[in-house]
């Protein structure tokens, strides 16, 4: 769990060095090997050096060791610069800013034993099943939530919208509803399932679930998955989605993706105060490549008075543990316990839904 040596670069810094060096390589095997080593370093709970070395080709091993032996981040950066040689100036991409390495998230949780820990979350919020793009059945995912200690859970498969072909249509929603009801009749005392739906925020801020269908759903989670246009300020789009009646939460608000895209540009103080006004919960999505919101925007949302949900966005049972990243980000952002809807019991969440 802990870094192997206190003077050595943290896992995230070693990973970043490998990512930055990968970008100076032409597309090909060298670039891929550096990227793989970077991902291994950022995803391990152990020492980054061992993880990065595990599948590294022979030419890369001394380079990884040299970076991992640097004393402190200044020395690491200097080493990266030397290694870059004539390749250019290594730089950090915006799409890699403010992500926690897995070991870093574990350290935050270990150092705050009384805070928002994943094992204390009562509700497992935002996960997918085979009914849309998940890998597990509803029942298998529900059992996995229960094993992790949840007493309630909100399944949020994608709706079949303009762009999501594999999502649930109206009939699919009703069929899933029957299985949710039947689970609750048999196992509801141990784990109560709430049927949610993850719906698209369209380019104009409309939400692509017809009103009739929305009435069937207990918890609607709106999210942007397309049209990120980095040159456009997306505040109005988000404000319109937030003001749409029947929307309960804004999922992965920026839509960023590690190493790929920095996500939406918006005047976030306006977005978060609209969430507070319309009582739309703000999600901290713990999927490792999303980590959305990051802790800086999380702080802004705390100041704006928002309620939060901490989510795994699991697409398989093994992903449910990604709520640990969401907890670590929430702790770093200073999110108070009482503002986290899925830290509490089901009746408090049901009252919050009913009271809107
Ligand atoms: Zn999503
Ligand atoms: Zn999702």
């Amino acid at each position: 769990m802990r870094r192997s040596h206190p003077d050595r670069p943290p896992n995230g810094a070693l990973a970043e060095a490998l990512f930055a060096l990968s970008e100076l390589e032409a597309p090909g095997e060298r670039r891929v090997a550096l990227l793989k080593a970077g991902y291994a370093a950022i995803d391990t709970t152990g020492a980054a050096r061992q993880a990065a070395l595990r599948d590294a080709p022979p030419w890369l091993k001394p380079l990884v060791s040299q970076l991992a032996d640097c004393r402190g981040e200044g020395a690491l950066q200097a080493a990266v610069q030397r290694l870059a040689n004539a390749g250019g100036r290594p730089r950090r991409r915006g799409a890699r800013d403010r992500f926690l390495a897995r070991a870093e998230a574990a350290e935050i949780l270990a150092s705050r034993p009384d805070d928002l820990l994943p094992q204390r979350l009562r509700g497992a919020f935002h996960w997918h099943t085979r009914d849309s793009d998940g890998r597990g059945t509803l029942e298998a995912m529900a059992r996995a939530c229960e094993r992790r200690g949840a007493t309630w859970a909100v399944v949020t498969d994608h709706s079949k919208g303009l762009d999501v072909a594999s999502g649930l249509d109206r009939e699919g929603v009703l069929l899933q509803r029957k299985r949710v009801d039947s689970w609750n009749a048999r196992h509801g005392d141990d784990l109560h399932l709430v049927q949610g739906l993850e719906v698209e925020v369209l380019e104009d801020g409309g939400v692509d679930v017809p009103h009739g269908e929305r009435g069937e759903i207990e918890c609607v989670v709106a999210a942007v998955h397309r049209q990120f246009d980095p040159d456009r300020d997306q505040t109005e789009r988000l404000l319109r989605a937030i003001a749409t009646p029947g929307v309960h939460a804004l999922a992965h608000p920026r839509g960023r993706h590690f190493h790929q895209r920095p996500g939406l540009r918006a005047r976030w103080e306006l977005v978060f105060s609209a969430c507070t006004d319309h009582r739309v919960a703000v999600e901290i999505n713990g999927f490792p490549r999303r980590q959305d919101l990051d802790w800086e925007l999380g702080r802004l949302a705390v100041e704006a008075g928002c309620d939060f949900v901490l989510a795994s966005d699991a697409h398989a049972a093994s992903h449910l543990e990604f709520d640990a990243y969401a907890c670590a980000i929430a702790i770093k952002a200073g999110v108070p316990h009482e503002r986290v809807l899925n830290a509490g019991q089901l009746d408090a969440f049901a009252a919050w839904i009913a009271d809107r």
Side-chain angles (χ1 to χ4, degrees):
M1 276 314 209
R2 304 221 131 227
R3 302 207 304 262
S4 54
H5 195 297
D7 293 343
R8 300 297 182 245
N11 288 13
L14 181 62
E16 175 55 31
L18 293 161
F19 284 120
L21 288 171
S22 80
E23 288 180 342
L24 302 176
E25 298 285 345
E29 279 175 31
R30 286 179 68 90
R31 176 186 269 191
V32 171
L34 282 158
L35 275 174
K36 273 192 184 161
Y39 280 115
I42 207 166
D43 285 338
T44 185
T45 52
R49 172 204 296 259
Q50 274 72 24
L53 284 173
R54 197 163 300 131
D55 295 320
W59 64 266
L60 182 53
K61 292 186 190 246
L63 188 149
V64 168
S65 296
Q66 187 184 341
L67 295 172
D69 283 338
C70 288
R71 290 180 172 256
E73 295 195 39
L76 178 65
Q77 272 163 22
V80 170
Q81 191 58 65
R82 275 196 310 279
L83 286 162
N85 273 331
R89 190 168 184 76
R91 62 188 176 83
R92 188 185 194 102
R93 248 202 245 181
R96 292 195 301 268
D97 266 347
R98 293 190 294 278
F99 278 85
L100 294 175
R102 188 169 176 183
E104 245 181 297
E107 272 182 43
I108 291 170
L109 298 178
S111 67
R112 299 284 288 269
D114 297 324
D115 220 315
L116 285 162
L117 301 184
Q119 60 269 31
R120 297 235 187 94
L121 295 179
R122 302 292 89 207
F125 193 89
H126 189 164
W127 44 272
H128 297 265
T129 78
R130 247 181 230 176
D131 294 342
S132 66
D133 59 351
R135 296 211 287 270
T137 63
L138 177 77
E139 293 75 13
M141 291 296 287
R143 280 194 295 274
C145 291
E146 199 183 332
R147 277 198 301 277
R148 287 178 51 76
T151 56
W152 56 280
V154 184
V155 55
T156 52
D157 272 311
H158 293 281
S159 67
K160 185 186 176 76
L162 297 174
D163 293 316
V164 186
S166 62
L168 290 170
D169 57 12
R170 185 179 159 75
E171 197 188 343
V173 166
L174 294 175
L175 283 172
Q176 189 184 63
R177 185 53 185 263
K178 281 194 180 146
R179 287 166 45 221
V180 166
D181 289 343
S182 129
W183 169 278
N184 285 337
R186 283 176 296 145
H187 310 291
D189 287 344
D190 301 318
L191 178 101
H192 183 89
L193 280 180
V194 173
Q195 190 184 26
L197 196 64
E198 182 172 9
V199 302
E200 289 290 308
V201 173
L202 304 175
E203 196 171 7
D204 66 355
V207 173
D208 78 338
V209 181
H211 268 284
E213 195 173 313
R214 202 181 293 146
E216 314 279 353
I217 301 293
E218 295 172 273
C219 182
V220 172
V221 174
V224 171
H225 294 101
R226 277 162 195 82
Q227 289 128 356
F228 293 102
D229 189 358
D231 298 326
R232 182 183 149 204
D233 179 294
Q234 309 259 3
T235 309
E236 294 305 320
R237 179 185 188 186
L238 292 174
L239 292 182
R240 190 172 164 212
I242 291 161
T244 305
V247 169
H248 298 101
L250 186 63
H252 48 74
R254 286 182 72 187
R256 70 178 187 159
H257 199 283
F258 182 77
H259 194 67
Q260 313 287 332
R261 60 168 189 258
L264 301 179
R265 205 156 59 74
R267 282 162 288 156
W268 290 103
E269 64 287 358
L270 298 181
V271 171
F272 297 143
S273 75
C275 285
T276 302
D277 292 346
H278 292 278
R279 304 201 65 210
V280 168
V282 170
E283 179 183 271
I284 296 181
N285 186 301
F287 204 86
R289 303 289 179 256
R290 287 195 180 274
Q291 301 193 31
D292 184 2
L293 302 175
D294 65 66
W295 55 90
E296 280 189 9
L297 282 181
R299 267 178 217 142
L300 202 60
V302 170
E303 280 164 29
C306 295
D307 288 321
F308 291 83
V309 279
L310 305 185
S312 64
D313 206 350
H315 285 67
S318 61
H319 297 168
L320 287 165
E321 67 180 34
F322 294 159
D323 58 9
Y325 286 89
C327 290
I329 293 167
I331 289 173
K332 216 167 147 65
V335 175
H337 266 103
E338 58 277 13
R339 298 247 208 110
V340 177
L341 298 172
N342 56 325
Q345 302 293 348
L346 174 67
D347 45 2
F349 179 71
W352 181 85
I353 293 264
D355 196 29
R356 298 171 71 262

